[in-house]
Amino acid sequence: MWRELQYLIHNFLPAGLQMDITQSYFEFLGLPVSYQLDQQALSERARELQKTLHPDRFSHLSDRERRLSVQYTAYLNEAVATLKNPLTRAQYLLQLEGVDTFSESRVQLDPMFLMQQMELREAVESIPDADDPEAEIEEQLQVVEQQMQELRQQFATFCVQNSPSALEAAAACVRKMQFIDKLGREIELLEDQLFDD
Amino acid sequence: MALLQIAEPGQSPEPHQRKLAVGIDLGTTNSLVATVRSGDAATLADEGGSHLLPSVVRYTEQGVVIGQAALAQASVDPFNTIVSVKRLMGRGAKDLKGLHGEAVYRFADREGGMPFLQTVAGDKSPVEISGEILKTLKARALATLDGELEGAVITVPAYFDDAQRQATKDAAQLAGIKVLRLLNEPTAAAVAYGLDEGAEGVIAVYDLGGGTFDISILRLNKGVFEVLSTGGDSALGGDDFDLALAQWFLEQLGGAEVVAGESRYLTEKARWTKEQLTDNESVRVELDHGGQKVELDVTRELFDGLINDLVGKTVRACRRALKDADVTADEVLEVVMVGGSTRVPLVRSRVEKFFNRKPHIDIDPDRVVAVGAAIQADVLAGNKPDSEMLLLDVLPLSLGLETMGGLAEKVIHRNTSIPVARAQEFTTYQDGQTAMMIHVVQGERELISDCRSLAQFVLRGIPPMAAGAAKIRVSFQVDADGLLSVSAKELSTGVESEIQVKPSYGLADNEIAAMLKASYSNAEEDMQARSLREQQVEADRLLVSLDQAIETDGATLLTAEEIKHLQEQMAILLALRNGEDYKAIEYGVQVLAQASDFFAARRMDQSIKNALKGHSVDEIEGNT
């Protein structure tokens, strides 16, 4: 790795070899720009592109071509991973509209939502002391999933309305999703701690 | 328009024009080499007819002995006879304390993280020792087959981290083998089973070798093998079963102090006992202990009890891998068993119970990985241009950076599809700060000290600015082999920072070069000849692929002037290529590659358009 690293530093890729992709993930994959996504179509397009772009298709060709193919395939994998997940897909759509929720550190959320989340969090924290922690975890995961589903629907609705206020509402939706997603992951982590080893 | 008369590798080769490519299973206990001949993939035997090469290297004053002959002397000459060297690959001296089996070696006191073993032939790194095994396999392939070796697909446990993969690639370099791909062992096994033909759905590959355990969940679809998740333990295998049994022997013998040779003797006896218990319910073992003979009866039940926790650990890893892949045990269509240790009855029964279906054991579990690697090597060498087969892997362990307070911040999560690229931005925290320390780690834990350190480097030459004003972008890129490269750049000024790298484990470039040199008798001349050959091959690749590209796409993607310019550049490189100066050829390759970059990029964009032809335009226009 360190060898490669020195190599990269001293020979920073020339402009010609830098991947030149100005297309969005949707365009790159030949999919309509929309929150509603045909997962089957996504997998099929991804597979077709992998067959064209993957470095293994260039293994008997020159070094340069292999490196270019690594960059393209990396972009493809990033595109697929981002669009596949409903939360990152929503975030990406917002990014295309100029709203960056990927790297925000402090956000304002409505107090009602926060109250609700605090209660949820308390319930999760008391899981290890419950009589049947496994059932308790299952229940909380369902609550999380249900809330996510509602927010996804709201987001999809705001998404198709073309107005600044709808965009703001869609962003608020995503911030809530991020919050709930984090809670979901914490519950899964707790599950691992309680039942593995 | 063909300018050069060089056979294009991808085009319907005559039998004698086939590129020689092999698959190599570099195992903890045994290694194998396989190739595809007249359509069939098979492992290659040595002159004595044996396919398995024991992964044992013995250093003597007269030279190096590899394989069966070395294994025979393992307990007589324990310090010079290295077994299970795979367990030392990419490991640091500190890790060795956890590997009880290897404690018998004498480690040299050296600078740097990589442990060197003291032998009569001098200090040897695990990379060199593995290189000896690879050299033997290469020689076997060349003796059996005709012609020059194009390259090899070498398999590694899916769970190998970056340092372990890099060490494997370095060993191949020492052995003079071009690595076409580092392929994960479970993926190779799935390929060998030919599960792509007709089969569609989710499969699980359970791979328990001598020293490593892997579980991979794959989805098969129209020739594409997509790894969904992978898990395991790179320090758990059949050797641990032997050790558990050897420990029990020792207890029966009264727990006497053991010397190096005797501990090896007991583990060999334990291995024999384990193998007997595969087909027998009980076995009588004779132990020679301090001059007296001791007889012990070992039942399968007793053995199962000794290894039950170890097997349980693998089942838990299966559960986690399913969860990571987001599939249930019921959705798994097929279970494939790989690795000699899956012959242990308890392993089979517990895996069968967990997945609730009979696992595949029809292909010899010792050979299945090498066979799969050979099939992939055949495709990668360009012998099967129409093949639809494509193997897509994931990153087995998260990659991250050290942040304040000794915490690890993940940059790329485990089970992300590779190749992958991610960048992270950092800033300075002091006014006028001109240097920054970056520590790259791999692993799932929160604390840096619990993760594997891959490399540390210092960014220097950051222009002095107010705290927080500099923006340093650190880019991670993982290639299809699972190998990481890192680069860094200061964004506000565009200054590329000078970097000093201190590898945590592994060999630096100059160490590899020195080892290569030392391995030749006429060092200087041989090195020259080899470098010349390598550069000529690289030049040929570039010329052939460009020639082909111009022929197929020149008319549509290039202007007449661009073609003329490229062909002039190609003629220059061809002239250099036929000379003797490898440095000039290397330079010529760089110049031509740069001059043709724009063309490669245009072709890539055209491929994307073609791959999506018929879908994209209407759908996108209809929805924006």
Side-chain angles (χ1 to χ4, degrees):
Chain A
M1 187 192 102
W2 37 95
R3 265 175 279 141
E4 182 78 7
L5 191 145
Q6 277 171 326
Y7 180 82
L8 276 172
I9 292 311
H10 294 300
N11 309 280
F12 229 84
L13 294 175
L17 198 70
Q18 293 279 13
M19 200 175 47
D20 181 28
I21 295 181
T22 45
Q23 290 175 311
S24 76
Y25 292 159
F26 290 101
E27 289 169 284
F28 186 71
L29 282 154
L31 294 167
V33 184
S34 159
Y35 191 59
Q36 303 300 343
L37 182 90
D38 181 348
Q39 292 279 357
Q40 176 106 21
L42 174 67
S43 319
E44 270 166 34
R45 304 289 157 79
R47 208 177 314 121
E48 286 163 28
L49 283 173
Q50 286 283 10
K51 282 187 175 176
T52 312
L53 299 175
H54 195 273
D56 282 357
R57 289 284 182 254
F58 298 83
S59 62
H60 59 288
L61 300 178
S62 76
D63 238 17
R64 290 271 167 155
E65 281 168 295
R66 283 200 300 273
R67 217 174 310 149
L68 192 62
S69 119
V70 169
Q71 292 181 16
Y72 272 90
T73 315
Y75 188 78
L76 170 62
N77 282 331
E78 195 67 30
V80 173
T82 306
L83 296 192
K84 207 168 185 174
N85 178 309
L87 171 57
T88 49
R89 182 166 71 244
Q91 289 180 286
Y92 184 68
L93 278 164
L94 285 178
Q95 195 182 44
L96 290 180
E97 295 297 324
V99 182
D100 182 4
T101 55
F102 285 110
S103 51
E104 290 176 321
S105 50
R106 285 205 153 271
V107 291
Q108 291 280 333
L109 287 162
D110 79 73
M112 273 287 283
F113 176 79
L114 284 177
M115 279 293 266
Q116 196 188 11
Q117 288 304 306
M118 249 151 72
E119 281 166 23
L120 254 178
R121 215 161 262 275
E122 277 166 20
V124 169
E125 275 163 17
S126 64
I127 287 177
D129 309 319
D131 293 337
D132 185 355
E134 203 164 359
E136 197 67 24
I137 280 182
E138 205 49 50
E139 197 186 314
Q140 295 303 336
L141 281 174
Q142 262 171 24
V143 172
V144 165
E145 182 49 37
Q146 201 198 330
Q147 293 195 349
M148 272 300 224
Q149 214 138 36
E150 282 165 21
L151 286 167
R152 274 180 224 142
Q153 268 161 14
Q154 288 177 26
F155 181 86
T157 316
F158 291 130
C159 219
V160 288
Q161 301 168 11
N162 227 339
S163 74
S165 64
L167 183 64
E168 195 40 59
C173 253
V174 161
R175 288 174 191 130
K176 288 179 186 170
M177 281 193 219
Q178 284 178 280
F179 218 87
I180 296 171
D181 180 69
K182 198 165 164 235
L183 183 66
R185 272 183 286 135
E186 280 165 21
I187 299 175
E188 279 174 10
L189 204 68
L190 185 67
E191 190 180 10
D192 287 349
Q193 285 165 357
L194 286 177
F195 303 112
D196 284 4
D197 303 279
Chain B
M1 175 144 343
L3 180 76
L4 299 157
Q5 298 302 314
I6 306 174
E8 159 65 15
Q11 282 197 327
S12 59
E14 298 293 314
H16 64 275
Q17 284 181 323
R18 281 181 72 87
K19 296 272 181 179
L20 263 191
V22 295
I24 292 177
D25 175 3
L26 185 61
T28 308
T29 318
N30 293 299
S31 297
L32 290 108
V33 58
T35 195
V36 176
R37 278 188 290 185
S38 18
D40 285 327
T43 52
L44 304 177
D46 64 9
E47 310 98 75
S50 39
H51 292 251
L52 294 181
L53 176 75
S55 304
V56 183
V57 177
R58 181 180 179 220
Y59 290 94
T60 70
E61 273 157 15
Q62 289 76 41
V64 198
V65 184
I66 292 119
Q68 197 57 49
L71 178 63
Q73 301 300 314
S75 42
V76 184
D77 188 16
F79 297 118
N80 296 310
T81 312
I82 321 300
V83 299
S84 301
V85 66
K86 190 174 179 177
R87 293 187 140 194
L88 304 177
M89 292 290 269
R91 296 273 160 192
K94 271 183 287 176
D95 302 319
L96 302 179
K97 298 200 175 74
L99 301 171
H100 30 239
E102 283 72 25
V104 300
Y105 302 122
R106 293 180 176 135
F107 290 102
D109 201 17
R110 268 178 179 251
E111 286 281 303
M114 179 180 268
F116 277 65
L117 286 72
Q118 288 179 337
T119 75
V120 287
D123 296 349
K124 300 289 174 187
S125 70
V127 171
E128 286 169 276
I129 299 164
S130 294
E132 294 294 344
I133 299 168
L134 289 172
K135 268 185 214 164
T136 310
L137 294 171
K138 182 187 176 189
R140 182 188 291 183
L142 291 178
T144 327
L145 310 164
D146 227 14
E148 205 173 335
L149 191 63
E150 167 79 7
V153 168
I154 301 181
T155 60
V156 290
Y159 217 52
F160 254 22
D161 63 31
D162 185 80
Q164 292 168 305
R165 284 166 196 267
Q166 186 63 56
T168 306
K169 214 171 176 180
D170 289 346
Q173 198 192 341
L174 285 182
I177 296 173
K178 179 184 158 67
V179 179
L180 296 170
R181 172 89 120 85
L182 291 179
L183 181 61
N184 289 335
E185 287 161 9
T187 312
V191 171
Y193 267 96
L195 291 170
D196 57 323
E197 290 154 18
E200 289 202 358
V202 178
I203 64 159
V205 183
Y206 178 102
D207 180 356
L208 189 61
T212 55
F213 166 67
D214 274 348
I215 172 73
S216 290
I217 311 295
L218 295 93
R219 188 186 297 283
L220 304 190
N221 198 317
K222 299 188 176 81
V224 177
F225 292 65
E226 185 187 4
V227 178
L228 299 176
S229 72
T230 187
D233 190 331
S234 59
L236 171 69
D239 290 358
D240 297 293
F241 297 172
D242 301 344
L243 286 170
L245 190 52
Q247 188 59 40
W248 183 81
F249 286 164
L250 202 59
E251 283 161 19
Q252 305 310 304
L253 296 173
E257 194 74 6
V258 279
V259 291
E262 192 180 30
S263 116
R264 180 96 30 106
Y265 166 79
L266 286 178
T267 40
E268 274 166 26
K269 278 287 181 189
R271 173 177 312 212
W272 177 84
T273 311
K274 172 185 77 179
E275 286 167 7
Q276 295 303 308
L277 288 172
T278 296
D279 296 314
N280 303 298
E281 285 296 330
S282 89
V283 62
R284 171 156 294 194
V285 198
E286 272 184 30
L287 295 177
D288 200 344
H289 179 60
Q292 68 186 100
K293 289 226 184 301
V294 181
E295 286 197 354
L296 292 170
D297 281 318
V298 186
T299 62
R300 191 186 284 168
E301 201 185 338
L302 175 110
F303 178 61
D304 286 355
L306 292 173
I307 63 168
N308 196 41
D309 283 353
L310 293 168
V311 180
K313 234 171 136 177
T314 70
V315 173
R316 276 200 297 280
C318 292
R319 186 174 300 129
R320 172 179 287 272
L322 283 178
K323 199 170 148 192
D324 286 347
D326 203 16
V327 296
T328 63
D330 292 337
E331 288 174 71
V332 177
L333 280 183
E334 313 268 5
V335 180
V336 169
M337 295 287 246
V338 190
S341 304
T342 57
R343 291 197 176 91
V344 173
L346 182 71
V347 171
R348 286 193 183 170
S349 63
R350 289 202 60 179
V351 171
E352 182 176 338
K353 190 164 161 243
F354 177 74
F355 287 104
N356 196 23
R357 61 185 32 74
K358 272 235 174 294
H360 279 280
I361 43 171
D362 6 317
I363 302 184
D364 181 349
D366 284 324
R367 295 197 205 177
V368 62
V369 166
V371 166
I375 297 172
Q376 160 86 334
D378 195 41
V379 173
L380 293 187
N383 287 333
K384 287 182 107 179
D386 300 328
S387 172
E388 288 277 286
M389 191 177 87
L390 188 61
L391 314 181
L392 307 176
D393 277 322
V394 297
L395 184 73
L397 297 156
S398 302
L399 288 164
L401 290 164
E402 177 170 350
T403 59
M404 297 294 252
L407 294 177
E409 184 174 326
K410 292 186 178 119
V411 179
I412 308 178
H413 285 265
R414 81 187 150 117
N415 289 327
T416 300
S417 302
I418 51 174
V420 59
R422 296 267 163 84
Q424 194 102 337
E425 279 175 25
F426 293 87
T427 190
T428 46
Y429 58 92
Q430 274 177 358
D431 287 342
Q433 186 181 343
T434 58
M436 180 180 276
M437 173 79 163
I438 301 222
H439 185 192
V440 185
V441 296
Q442 190 162 25
E444 308 313 314
R445 307 283 292 276
E446 296 283 313
L447 290 175
I448 283 293
S449 50
D450 294 331
C451 292
R452 167 145 300 259
S453 169
L454 293 181
Q456 296 192 22
F457 57 89
V458 182
L459 290 175
R460 290 190 197 285
I462 301 171
M465 290 184 238
K471 268 203 169 114
I472 293 121
R473 172 177 288 165
V474 180
S475 307
F476 280 52
Q477 182 174 289
V478 180
D479 66 16
D481 290 334
L483 289 173
L484 171 70
S485 55
V486 182
S487 59
K489 195 174 190 175
E490 204 288 309
L491 294 179
S492 64
T493 57
V495 170
E496 283 164 25
S497 300
E498 182 194 324
I499 280 187
Q500 288 173 349
V501 185
K502 184 172 162 281
S504 306
Y505 311 100
L507 299 169
D509 220 4
N510 52 359
E511 282 181 287
I512 298 254
M515 285 173 187
L516 266 176
K517 216 165 167 175
S519 69
Y520 290 103
S521 42
N522 290 319
E524 206 51 49
E525 266 170 51
D526 283 355
M527 279 292 280
Q528 296 264 353
R530 180 165 161 165
S531 303
L532 179 62
R533 187 71 203 115
E534 280 173 2
Q535 290 309 324
Q536 284 176 335
V537 168
E538 193 54 39
D540 288 349
R541 275 174 193 280
L542 183 60
L543 288 170
V544 167
S545 69
L546 253 182
D547 196 42
Q548 191 71 21
I550 292 175
E551 202 176 312
T552 37
D553 296 321
T556 46
L557 297 179
L558 298 172
T559 65
E561 205 166 314
E562 284 168 335
I563 294 179
K564 184 165 164 276
H565 180 68
L566 277 179
Q567 285 179 337
E568 282 165 9
Q569 298 281 328
M570 287 164 77
I572 296 173
L573 178 60
L574 185 63
L576 290 172
R577 181 241 177 263
N578 291 329
E580 297 283 308
D581 185 349
Y582 74 88
K583 286 203 172 122
I585 303 175
E586 187 177 8
Y587 180 71
V589 167
Q590 273 186 20
V591 170
L592 179 58
Q594 253 170 46
S596 60
D597 277 344
F598 74 99
F599 184 32
R602 279 183 207 170
R603 283 179 33 120
M604 201 74 84
D605 287 337
Q606 182 184 250
S607 307
I608 297 171
K609 286 199 189 96
N610 286 344
L612 297 173
K613 203 159 48 187
H615 307 294
S616 53
V617 181
D618 313 344
E619 288 167 24
I620 290 172
E621 284 180 352
N623 283 276
T624 35

